[in-house]
Amino acid sequence: MTPRPTSTASKATAAAPTPRTPPVATQHLAELAWNIFEEAGEDVLVPKEIIIARVHATDSQFTRLKGYIRDHVTMEKGRAFLAFRGGYLITTDPAKIAESVGWRLGRINTELRRLLSGWINPLGEDVSNYDVLAMYQDEIGHMMRLEERMRKASMTMPKPVKGTTRRRRRTTATL
């Protein structure tokens, strides 16, 4: 039988600080991550787990470094940084960029439709009594029409070649 902890032992355990990841500048992590992409080569998918492990970043730090790369490093390096088909890559391939932009615009369009259907349109005719809501309704409708035009235009772009990945097969459990 193991001895029961005393109240002083449990107080000491409770007072012990929890381990934290030391702060690291986002710019530094972004540069380390960019080096990983350059080592891998252009148009080579690098999984999130590899990037996090190699730069020793937390999920939160990874999110911040992605933003820093998109906001600063890509313009300096002249290459796009994409989340693409389950990984991340750097590229100058217009087809990959167009596919990623189209995917992201689709997500934005979904959010715009939800703003209208869930927040503004339930007010019905009363929306016209509120100038700001009426303006939002008009402008969101305009953004949705623009997204549709952009989606149609992107259909003329060649589609990137999909890699040869193994397909998972569904198996049924037998009793």
Side-chain angles (χ1 to χ4, degrees), residues 17-32:
T18 58
R20 282 187 58 175
T21 304
V24 180
T26 301
Q27 179 180 358
H28 176 68
L29 291 174
E31 289 168 1
L32 293 174

Side-chain angles (χ1 to χ4, degrees), residues 33-158:
W34 189 267
N35 291 339
I36 293 169
F37 293 115
E38 285 185 332
E39 287 171 15
E42 190 166 313
D43 295 328
V44 177
L45 284 177
V46 181
K48 172 185 175 179
E49 295 77 21
I50 290 177
I51 301 163
I52 286 177
R54 295 219 11 227
V55 301
H56 306 291
T58 63
D59 284 340
S60 178
Q61 289 171 324
F62 179 70
T63 300
R64 287 195 312 273
L65 78 82
K66 289 188 308 184
Y68 188 88
I69 287 173
R70 287 187 179 117
D71 293 345
H72 303 285
V73 179
T74 56
M75 288 299 292
E76 178 185 317
K77 303 289 185 174
R79 288 187 267 178
F81 169 70
L82 305 176
F84 190 79
R85 298 183 182 171
Y88 295 88
L89 59 86
I90 55 176
T91 188
T92 55
D93 181 352
K96 287 182 178 131
I97 295 168
E99 181 179 310
S100 294
V101 168
W103 182 86
R104 187 65 65 98
L105 285 173
R107 303 296 61 81
I108 292 169
N109 190 38
T110 298
E111 186 62 27
L112 290 172
R113 280 188 286 111
R114 287 179 179 155
L115 287 174
L116 284 177
S117 68
W119 296 5
I120 297 173
N121 290 347
L123 297 180
E125 297 296 320
D126 291 338
V127 169
S128 62
N129 297 332
Y130 304 99
D131 292 338
V132 172
L133 293 180
M135 179 197 63
Y136 286 161
Q137 191 177 45
D138 291 343
E139 295 302 319
I140 290 171
H142 178 69
M143 287 185 266
M144 291 170 60
R145 289 187 296 278
L146 280 176
E147 187 276 334
E148 183 178 338
R149 280 184 35 214
M150 287 186 278
R151 186 171 12 94
K152 287 179 182 175
S154 73
M155 289 182 191
T156 63
M157 292 289 299

Side-chain angles (χ1 to χ4, degrees), residues 164-172:
T164 56
T165 58
R166 290 186 345 187
R167 292 191 173 245
R168 295 189 315 179
R169 290 187 178 177
R170 289 188 175 183
T171 59
T172 55

